[in-house]
């Protein structure tokens, strides 16, 4: 039997639909992320950030510079460096000096890394599919469209929404 997912302030925010929607999205996102983290750890002995690095590199056959990789992942160069070292030690990626700038490094997937990522990506997709199995394709499409509206609203927010 399915366990209900708790939300912060269950029922206590009557009339505050904006906050209730945000908290519901947060509870869904947090639950999905926790489950994915646990599953990656248990099945593959890895983390979501490592998976994210492999996913970014899988899309770029020629590899990415460390700077570009950190931009794409929205993390600091230091965080990327630590992840790259771990993945390189495991044999999943390789690094080489950039041909046009010897201070910069290009990182790429190895064949072992590509195979590992393919297996993890299939498990990731299956987990997401399983968690969203109770939502119809039409409902998912409608939610996707509504989230685009929300994303645009968030992007258009002006200073009047800041804390004073």
């Amino acid at each position: 039997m399915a366990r209900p997912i708790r939300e912060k302030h269950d029922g206590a925010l009557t009339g505050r639909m904006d906050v209730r929607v945000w908290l519901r999205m947060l509870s869904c996102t947090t639950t999905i992320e926790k489950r994915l983290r646990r599953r990656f750890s248990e099945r593959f002995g890895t983390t979501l950030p490592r998976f994210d690095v492999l996913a970014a590199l899988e899309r770029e056959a020629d590899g990415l510079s460390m700077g570009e990789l950190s931009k794409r992942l929205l993390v600091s160069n230091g965080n990327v460096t630590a992840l790259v070292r771990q993945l390189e030690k495991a044999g999943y990626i390789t690094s080489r000096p950039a041909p046009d700038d010897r201070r910069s490094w290009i990182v790429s997937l190895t064949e072992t890394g590509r195979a590992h990522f393919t297996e993890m990506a299939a498990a990731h997709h299956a987990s997401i599919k399983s968690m969203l199995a109770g939502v119809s394709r039409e409902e998912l499409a409608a939610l996707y469209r509504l989230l685009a509206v929300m994303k645009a609203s968030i992007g258009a927010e002006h200073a009047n929404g800041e804390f004073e």
Side-chain angles (χ1 to χ4, degrees):
M1 185 165 129
R3 294 182 313 219
I5 297 171
R6 281 199 70 241
E7 293 180 11
K8 292 181 180 182
H9 309 290
D10 283 336
L13 293 170
T14 306
R16 295 300 320 252
M17 188 55 73
D18 51 356
V19 176
R20 289 172 64 201
V21 167
W22 174 69
L23 289 172
R24 178 151 299 165
M25 287 188 335
L26 184 62
S27 68
C28 290
T29 301
T30 302
T31 300
I32 290 170
E33 188 171 323
K34 282 181 181 178
R35 288 179 184 178
L36 290 172
R37 283 181 188 281
R38 188 185 77 245
R39 291 170 186 177
F40 273 130
S41 177
E42 289 172 356
R43 182 165 174 192
F44 300 105
T46 196
T47 64
L48 272 178
R50 289 181 195 166
F51 174 78
D52 290 342
V53 169
L54 296 177
L57 294 175
E58 195 272 336
R59 295 181 195 104
E60 300 292 337
D62 295 331
L64 291 170
S65 71
M66 294 286 283
E68 182 60 28
L69 183 58
S70 68
K71 283 181 195 172
R72 290 192 186 188
L73 297 176
L74 305 174
V75 298
S76 71
N77 288 340
N79 286 345
V80 167
T81 299
L83 292 168
V84 163
R85 285 187 181 141
Q86 294 165 6
L87 291 166
E88 198 167 24
K89 186 175 180 180
Y92 297 137
I93 64 173
T94 186
S95 60
R96 65 187 185 283
D100 55 340
D101 181 359
R102 293 286 182 203
R103 296 170 298 165
S104 180
W105 290 84
I106 305 293
V107 291
S108 307
L109 282 180
T110 63
E111 287 306 313
T112 301
R114 190 170 307 284
H116 183 61
F117 173 75
T118 299
E119 182 182 4
M120 287 194 309
H124 179 269
H125 291 230
S127 289
I128 297 293
K129 184 176 181 176
S130 174
M131 285 185 266
L132 300 180
V135 185
S136 74
R137 183 158 177 75
E138 294 78 20
E139 289 168 327
L140 285 173
L143 181 57
Y144 186 75
R145 287 189 299 274
L146 288 170
L147 288 171
V149 173
M150 182 177 284
K151 184 177 178 182
S153 176
I154 293 165
E157 180 198 26
H158 300 289
N160 62 350
E162 292 182 17
F163 289 117
E164 295 179 11

